[in-house]
Amino acid sequence: MRQGFIIPVYRHGKTAVPLAEKLTGLGLPVILVDDGNDEENRACLEECAAQTAGVVLVRLEKNKGKGGAAAKGFEKAAELGLTHVLLIDADGQHDADMAAFFLEKAAKYPENVICGYPEFDEMAPKSRVKGRKISNFWAAIVTLSSELKDVHCGFRVYPVEPSLHITKNPFMDRRMGFDTEILVRLYWNGVFPLFHHVKVSYPEGGISNFRIIRDNIRISWTFSRLFTGMLFRLPLLIGMGIKHNKEKQ
């Protein structure tokens, strides 16, 4: 097993840099993905990669969204020979001190995807919290399972090979539906989630790339596609669920 980190970055150069520097303290490679940033953010990332040992910078000339940046990160991880990567958002909302714990869990359960289960602070927007509950409900429908406890948290350790296989799908959502879709598709492929709590903070004045109307429409469309995919996989999912439940007993 060879582990590392992926940080997709769009408009969060000032928070991504200290995060990357902190994660290098674990002695593992950190892949920064410049997702078509402006000159100011691009310069921050270039300086970080040039001055910080263990930081690797890859660039997308145009903004592709979180899914597109994550896919680029998985490609680089495979090129570096990494088997598992902790994908973490660049905005600094996640408790990075949990990184070592999540990587330990991935080492113990290498066949699983280790997922953050968010503990929100009092600044969390109520609409976002409610939206998660709706998405988790639909995730249970499209997997015929209650195991996907949260499908939006961006703090996860992914096995690289099966994740890269999924992101090569041309119909895969490349933006705000990414976190949901890849977790569902990994489940469909027998890569099951294990959840652990991680604190999530919403600092005042923080930059958000979430657009409530546009991105909720994208997430709804993602679930529409996943529901259709579930219907085609119905017998397989039923059998897989029965087998998986027996293995847990």
Side-chain angles (χ1 to χ4, degrees):
M1 174 179 284
R2 294 191 61 193
Q3 298 178 319
F5 302 95
I6 296 175
I7 309 176
V9 187
Y10 180 62
R11 301 202 306 159
H12 290 117
K14 292 182 179 179
T15 51
V17 168
L19 174 61
E21 292 173 343
K22 181 175 184 176
L23 293 176
T24 58
L26 294 175
L28 301 172
V30 178
I31 301 170
L32 286 174
V33 183
D34 176 0
D35 188 17
N37 282 284
D38 59 21
E39 289 299 326
E40 180 181 358
N41 282 282
R42 179 176 295 179
C44 285
L45 301 180
E46 289 177 345
E47 182 178 0
C48 179
Q51 298 183 359
T52 310
V55 174
V56 179
L57 177 63
V58 294
R59 177 176 296 160
L60 293 168
E61 292 300 325
K62 295 183 179 180
N63 176 253
K64 300 292 186 182
K66 182 178 181 179
K72 189 70 173 180
F74 286 135
E75 291 177 5
K76 189 62 178 181
E79 180 183 320
L80 295 175
L82 303 183
T83 60
H84 293 73
V85 289
L86 173 58
L87 184 67
I88 180 171
D89 291 347
D91 54 14
Q93 291 183 359
H94 298 122
D95 180 8
D97 289 335
M98 290 297 291
F101 174 81
F102 272 64
L103 292 173
E104 289 174 6
K105 289 299 179 182
K108 187 175 182 180
Y109 302 101
E111 302 301 320
N112 296 90
V113 52
I114 314 300
C115 305
Y117 186 79
E119 293 181 343
F120 296 109
D121 66 9
E122 65 278 1
M123 297 295 291
K126 300 301 181 184
S127 59
R128 299 283 290 276
V129 176
K130 183 177 180 181
R132 284 173 180 269
K133 293 180 179 179
I134 296 172
S135 291
N136 295 338
F137 168 79
W138 279 104
I141 291 177
V142 298
T143 59
L144 303 183
S145 168
S146 60
E147 290 199 40
L148 273 60
K149 299 177 182 179
D150 184 275
V151 294
H152 286 312
C153 186
F155 194 92
R156 297 175 186 161
V157 182
Y158 290 95
V160 172
E161 184 177 352
S163 301
L164 184 58
H165 175 74
I166 289 172
T167 56
K168 287 182 178 179
N169 182 341
F171 299 105
M172 176 80 182
D173 191 279
R174 295 288 190 253
R175 296 191 178 273
M176 287 299 181
F178 167 79
D179 287 324
T180 296
E181 183 161 4
I182 191 170
L183 196 59
V184 169
R185 291 189 178 278
L186 283 170
Y187 184 90
W188 284 353
N189 291 344
V191 181
F192 301 115
L194 295 176
F195 284 87
H196 296 279
H197 289 276
V198 62
K199 291 181 180 179
V200 180
S201 60
Y202 285 81
E204 188 174 353
I207 298 174
S208 175
N209 292 324
F210 189 84
R211 300 294 179 263
I212 189 166
I213 297 177
R214 179 198 67 186
D215 291 324
N216 277 322
I217 290 174
R218 289 192 70 95
I219 292 170
S220 298
W221 171 239
T222 296
F223 274 118
S224 297
R225 291 188 294 103
L226 291 174
F227 182 79
T228 302
M230 179 272 290
L231 294 177
F232 285 106
R233 293 172 173 82
L234 197 55
L236 178 63
L237 288 174
I238 292 173
M240 185 176 69
I242 293 173
K243 180 181 178 181
H244 185 48
N245 288 331
K246 287 182 178 179
E247 290 175 349
K248 292 195 299 181
Q249 293 176 357

